[in-house]
Amino acid sequence: GQNIDQPTEMTATEGAIVQINCTYQTSGFNGLFWYQQHAGEAPTFLSYNVLDGLEEKGRFSSFLSRSKGYSYLLLKELQMKDSASYLCAVTPRPGNTPLVFGKGTRLSVIA
Amino acid sequence: GAVVSQHPSWVICKSGTSVKIECRSLDFQATTMFWYRQFPKQSLMLMATSNEGSKATYEQGVEKDKFLINHASLTLSTLTVTSAHPEDSSFYICSATPRSSYEQYFGPGTRLTVT
């Protein structure tokens, strides 16, 4: 089976740093994605990790440990507009295959 | 980046009628597209894989006779919800991946409300 776990909700303060964790157990692994989704909108791509380590892209960073089946998304200098759901997704097989999504973490940024 | 469009963005229909949703890749060809469904406060669930020129592959629990998928060209896939019921009300999202890319691009989604 496929199982991806992430916290349901998180709250953080504007200007702070927040880390959203994701653990996965899937039948295979060919990469892990993080998407941001605002209410009523489609997901937008944030990051992709296929090798262990940290990928940094501006205020957002994503980390992967394949041996632990673990990833996190780090958001720095939080802004109010960062309030959204953050979806962790795994592609179990190489090639053009569908993503397996976690349930998403709803992040609320407060003043 | 690549662009995927969906039409309509929202639709309201009466119970028992059929609704067609289009998914287009605007600047790339997609031999495979994916259809997801998302209920409020839940994550995206894969419904089916749409394959150009062949039958779609449906996930367990998704009725292929109710959710008709047609992938008639390399840039267009359609999802038809037949005999819609209120429980079919949901957010339907398609995605596609250009060749030599790992990233799935999502359409803007279609919100279906069945009354």
Side-chain angles (χ1 to χ4, degrees):
Chain A
Q2 321 280 31
N3 192 45
I4 298 178
D5 286 319
Q6 48 182 132
T8 305
E9 293 187 23
M10 297 183 73
T11 301
T13 306
E14 192 176 16
I17 299 173
V18 70
Q19 177 175 312
I20 304 174
N21 296 322
C22 170
T23 57
Y24 62 90
Q25 298 107 37
T26 52
S27 55
F29 181 83
N30 199 57
L32 185 143
F33 295 79
W34 283 96
Y35 284 86
Q36 180 191 62
Q37 186 180 28
H38 285 99
E41 299 180 10
T44 55
F45 172 81
L46 291 178
S47 68
Y48 171 69
N49 294 70
V50 66
L51 300 176
D52 290 350
L54 187 67
E55 295 277 344
E56 296 186 77
K57 189 185 293 185
R59 293 190 300 116
F60 293 3
S61 303
S62 57
F63 171 84
L64 174 68
S65 168
R66 289 171 297 170
S67 62
K68 295 181 180 177
Y70 168 70
S71 172
Y72 67 73
L73 179 69
L74 195 70
L75 293 77
K76 303 175 186 176
E77 301 169 17
L78 280 172
Q79 302 174 9
M80 301 300 282
K81 67 178 182 179
D82 297 330
S83 294
S85 284
Y86 291 86
L87 308 177
C88 174
V90 169
T91 180
R93 301 183 303 277
N96 196 1
T97 57
L99 297 173
V100 179
F101 282 89
K103 290 194 166 112
T105 299
R106 282 193 301 281
L107 173 66
S108 298
V109 180
I110 58 176
Chain B
V3 178
V4 175
S5 71
Q6 273 184 249
H7 178 80
S9 56
W10 61 270
V11 58
I12 301 172
C13 71
K14 291 187 177 180
S15 189
T17 61
S18 295
V19 173
K20 180 186 284 189
I21 302 170
E22 294 184 348
C23 176
R24 293 181 185 271
S25 56
L26 295 186
D27 49 3
F28 65 96
Q29 294 182 332
T31 54
T32 302
M33 292 182 175
F34 304 106
W35 286 97
Y36 296 86
R37 179 168 54 181
Q38 185 176 35
F39 292 105
K41 297 190 176 181
Q42 295 188 22
S43 193
L44 282 75
M45 295 296 295
L46 179 69
M47 297 177 66
T49 300
S50 173
N51 304 299
E52 189 268 336
S54 65
K55 291 182 180 179
T57 306
Y58 291 82
E59 294 301 297
Q60 193 172 6
V62 177
E63 300 174 56
K64 62 180 181 180
D65 295 330
K66 179 172 181 60
F67 298 99
L68 301 179
I69 291 174
N70 186 346
H71 198 144
S73 77
L74 287 171
T75 58
L76 173 63
S77 174
T78 60
L79 168 69
T80 302
V81 183
T82 63
S83 187
H85 290 149
E87 54 264 34
D88 298 325
S89 298
S90 187
F91 193 47
Y92 292 86
I93 307 175
C94 69
S95 72
T97 300
R99 291 182 189 177
S100 70
S101 172
Y102 56 79
E103 182 180 341
Q104 273 194 31
Y105 291 87
F106 287 87
T110 297
R111 180 151 316 275
L112 170 64
T113 302
V114 184
T115 60

